[in-house]
Structures are given as structure tokens and as C-alpha cells.
């Protein structure tokens, strides 16, 4: 039934987006195995997406040779698909600067360097910036990304500011995002490595963005690997939740690996002519859709937004 619904949905979708996160491997052979599983299954589906959203933790570790090898695997795979990529950094994308040799005059975020080489890919314009936005049809997409000072005095990972908190310069910018979203006066979808309050492994830093305006329709995130009993707390299989005190669903898309998360997973987002949405959860190991979800087209105002 899910396969049938997906095929009917494809016929009606005006925009199709493939969303995933957390390939997150320290060893290239493991990264390649998981990536190959996902790519083979995606190609077998036979439906090309308009965009890819890679929501962080593309790699893991501090061995720069291995990091570059894994980024080459990813770049080659995406080049073959010929689909523009929207990238946000997650906590492990900053491993090299936080725990490795680092140093020098340039911050090294592995997949960020890859993304910059492609004029039709999207990423933060500067490593110190907390977000960027992209337009597709009637929608604007806001991507919140981990970021780091050029002198490494501070960084944001795991939903918090680390280092010299007093020097963090983007707090007012974060607090102003809600006004910017509202002034866009169009349907908005947000995405990040982390969830808002109410989701799995939520970002405390994101509390500064709340309350979200009513034109935010959905949020997508990773970080909380589905099926991971070691790190996902008491909700290892939470896929859909709601932003706390909001009528806004948020969807966990992780993870793109089957070692920690047990299955290689991703999500397909379809946007229809009336700007309603369809979400399809894919298990790439078994080549099946495990669930689908069609959120309400309208959402009620949160208490603080009245």
C-alpha cells in the first residue's frame, strides 16, 4: 500500500525533495557500504528529486585523509544524480576543528568545502553564520546549521554554544529569525541537524528562535538516529513529534547508516499544487517505504503567537 501511495503521490507532486542525515562514519569502507546501499535503492525507485537536503554529520572523526575520502564518495554519488544539494553542518562535521589538529588560517569543515565547489548547491555563506534560506516555488526553506568562529573562540554543536560564550555574536540574529520568517509571508519549512523542543535530542539553542510563526509548516532534523538505543534516550523510534507548544510537526530523518541506526533511512518530501505536503519514510536496506504521513495543510497558532 505504501508503494502504491508513493507512486500516486509522485504523479501529483510539483516538488520532490530527498532528505537524510547522519552517514556519520569514521571509516571510509563503512561510509561507502552505507552510501552504496542508499544510492542503489534511490536509483531503483526511478524518480528524480528536485533537491537533496543533507542535514549534517556527513562524516565523523579527525583523520583528514579519511575525511577527504568519504567526502569524495559523497560528491561522486551526488554528481551522478545531478541534483542540487542543500547542506547543513552537524556536530560531527566540526570534529576536525573541535578535536583534531585544526590550526591555520582556515576553518576546515569537510563537506562544506565540497559544497562550495558547486554553484548550484547551497550552504551557509560563512562558517560563522547560523542559517541560510532557499526558495522553491511558493515555499522558503530555512536551514539552521552548526557554526564556528574563524578564530575558534566558540562553536555551536549539540544545540549549545561551546567555548567563550561571551564572544558569541549571533544571538540577536537568532532571535530575529522569527520576524524574518513571518515577513516572508509564504509557507516555510525549516530544517537542521537538530530538532526544536518537543523532538528527539532537541537543541536548547533553538529556544531562542521560538515561538515560530504560523507560516512554518514543518521541521526536518537528524541527530537522533532511529533505532539507536545508546544515544536516543527513551524515544529511539520517534519519527514524528510536534514542536513544543506549537501545532507544527517535526520529522526525524536519521540515519543514513545501518551500523548505529540499524537501517539506512531517509525521507522523501512531496509538495503538491495546493502547497499541502506528503512525507514518505524509506528503509533502503530492505527497499521499502515503512510509513507515510500527510500533515494538515493549516496549523493553529501557538499560545505565545496570539
Amino acid at each position: 500500500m505504501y508503494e502504491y501511495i508513493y507512486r500516486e503521490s509522485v504523479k501529483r507532486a510539483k516538488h520532490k525533495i530527498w532528505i537524510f542525515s547522519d552517514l556519520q562514519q569514521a571509516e571510509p569502507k563503512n561510509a561507502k557500504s552505507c552510501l552504496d546501499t542508499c544510492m542503489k535503492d534511490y536509483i531503483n525507485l526511478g524518480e528524480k528529486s528536485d533537491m537533496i537536503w543533507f542535514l549534517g554529520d556527513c562524516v565523523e572523526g579527525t583523520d583528514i585523509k579519511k575525511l577527504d575520502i568519504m567526502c569524495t564518495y559523497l560528491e561522486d554519488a551526488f554528481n551522478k544524480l545531478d541534483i542540487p544539494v542543500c547542506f547543513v553542518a552537524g556536530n560531527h562535521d566540526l570534529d576536525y576543528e573541535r578535536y583534531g589538529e585544526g590550526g591555520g588560517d582556515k576553518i576546515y569543515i569537510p563537506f562544506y568545502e565540497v559544497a562550495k565547489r558547486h554553484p548550484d548547491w547551497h550552504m551557509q555563506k560563512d562558517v560563522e553564520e547560523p542559517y541560510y534560506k532557499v526558495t522553491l516555488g511558493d515555499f522558503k526553506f530555512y536551514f539552521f546549521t552548526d557554526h564556528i568562529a574563524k578564530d575558534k573562540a566558540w562553536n555551536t554543536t549539540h544545540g549549545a554554544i561551546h567555548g567563550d560564550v561571551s564572544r558569541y555574536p549571533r544571538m540577536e540574529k537568532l532571535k530575529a529569525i522569527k520576524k524574518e520568517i513571518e515577513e516572508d509571508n509564504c509557507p516555510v519549512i525549516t530544517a537542521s541537524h537538530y530538532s526544536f523542543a518537543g523532538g528527539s535530542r532537541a537543541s536548547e539553542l533553538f529556544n531562542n528562535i521560538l515561538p515560530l510563526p504560523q507560516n512554518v509548516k514543518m521541521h526536518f532534523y537528524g541527530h537522533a538516529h532511529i533505532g539507536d538505543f545508546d544515544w536516543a534516550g527513551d524515544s529511539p523510534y520517534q519519527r514524528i513529534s510536534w514542536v513544543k507548544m506549537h501545532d507544527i510537526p517535526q520529522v526525524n530523518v536519521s540515519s543514513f547508516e545501518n551500523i548505529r541506526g540499524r537501517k539506512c533511512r531517509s525521507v522523501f518530501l512531496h509538495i503538491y499544487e495546493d502547497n499541502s505536503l506528503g512525507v514518505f519514510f524509506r528503509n533502503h536496506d530492505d527497499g521499502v517505504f515503512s510509513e507515510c504521513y500527510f500533515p494538515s495543510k493549516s496549523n493553529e497558532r501557538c499560545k505565545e503567537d496570539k
Side-chain angles (χ1 to χ4, degrees):
M1 180 58 73
Y2 292 152
E3 182 74 25
Y4 171 79
I5 295 172
Y6 172 78
R7 295 298 174 187
E8 291 300 309
S9 176
V10 165
K11 297 175 187 177
R12 293 163 171 77
K14 64 176 179 178
H15 304 302
K16 302 182 289 292
I17 302 170
W18 189 22
I19 311 174
F20 47 82
S21 72
D22 300 87
L23 179 60
Q24 192 184 323
Q25 299 300 314
E27 294 298 328
K29 65 177 182 179
N30 292 337
K32 190 173 190 307
S33 174
C34 296
L35 181 63
D36 286 351
T37 295
C38 296
M39 290 297 143
K40 180 179 178 181
D41 184 51
Y42 174 84
I43 291 168
N44 285 341
L45 276 172
E47 299 291 343
K48 186 175 181 179
S49 299
D50 301 308
M51 304 173 78
I52 287 172
W53 295 359
F54 201 165
L55 302 185
D57 282 5
C58 305
V59 294
E60 179 182 358
T62 60
D63 186 323
I64 196 166
K65 291 183 179 179
K66 292 180 178 180
L67 295 172
D68 286 342
I69 289 170
M70 290 185 283
C71 283
T72 297
Y73 290 158
L74 287 164
E75 185 176 26
D76 288 348
F78 297 155
N79 280 341
K80 289 176 182 177
L81 296 181
D82 191 27
I83 300 172
V85 177
C86 296
F87 163 68
V88 301
N91 52 289
H92 283 293
D93 296 303
L94 270 61
D95 279 354
Y96 182 74
E97 293 297 342
R98 296 186 72 213
Y99 309 120
E101 296 176 8
D105 299 326
K106 184 180 178 182
I107 296 293
Y108 176 68
I109 302 174
F111 197 72
Y112 179 77
E113 297 301 318
V114 171
K116 287 195 300 184
R117 296 200 288 262
H118 297 265
D120 60 339
W121 293 16
H122 304 276
M123 78 298 297
Q124 67 207 97
K125 299 302 181 185
D126 186 283
V127 295
E128 294 189 348
E129 289 301 313
Y131 78 105
Y132 65 92
K133 61 182 178 180
V134 175
T135 300
L136 180 65
D138 298 328
F139 277 76
K140 290 191 186 299
F141 307 133
Y142 277 72
F143 295 94
F144 305 119
T145 181
D146 273 338
H147 44 297
I148 183 171
K150 292 185 179 71
D151 63 2
K152 296 201 284 189
W154 53 263
N155 65 80
T156 68
T157 67
H158 300 86
I161 304 166
H162 306 279
D164 189 346
V165 177
S166 67
R167 291 182 57 188
Y168 180 70
R170 297 293 186 267
M171 189 59 71
E172 292 307 312
K173 192 166 190 175
L174 285 174
K175 292 178 179 178
I177 289 174
K178 63 176 75 69
K179 183 178 180 182
E180 182 180 346
I181 291 174
E182 190 169 29
E183 290 177 348
D184 281 333
N185 195 31
C186 68
V188 167
I189 295 173
T190 61
S192 176
H193 189 58
Y194 310 103
S195 70
F196 286 103
S200 296
R201 306 187 74 190
S203 166
E204 289 289 333
L205 189 60
F206 283 1
N207 290 339
N208 294 284
I209 303 174
L210 301 177
L212 295 172
Q214 193 178 12
N215 57 320
V216 177
K217 301 304 177 185
M218 186 171 281
H219 178 68
F220 291 88
Y221 69 95
H223 192 50
H225 301 221
I226 296 167
D228 181 354
F229 292 92
D230 293 329
W231 289 93
D234 60 359
S235 53
Y237 286 105
Q238 182 167 277
R239 295 165 171 82
I240 303 173
S241 56
W242 269 254
V243 179
K244 189 175 182 180
M245 296 297 295
H246 292 65
D247 186 22
I248 299 174
Q250 48 184 346
V251 172
N252 181 2
V253 306
S254 60
S255 59
F256 217 47
E257 51 80 28
N258 55 19
I259 298 169
R260 173 175 152 182
R262 292 169 172 73
K263 296 288 185 181
C264 294
R265 307 173 194 271
S266 72
V267 162
F268 291 86
L269 169 64
H270 289 172
I271 301 175
Y272 308 109
E273 287 293 338
D274 64 351
N275 288 335
S276 60
L277 306 173
V279 177
F280 296 83
F281 294 82
R282 185 74 175 180
N283 169 354
H284 294 291
D285 293 80
D286 302 323
V288 297
F289 289 103
S290 58
E291 292 162 280
C292 57
Y293 170 57
F294 300 91
S296 173
K297 186 180 174 184
S298 61
N299 51 300
E300 297 183 14
R301 291 186 181 273
C302 70
K303 183 177 180 181
E304 296 90 340
D305 199 29
K306 289 184 178 179

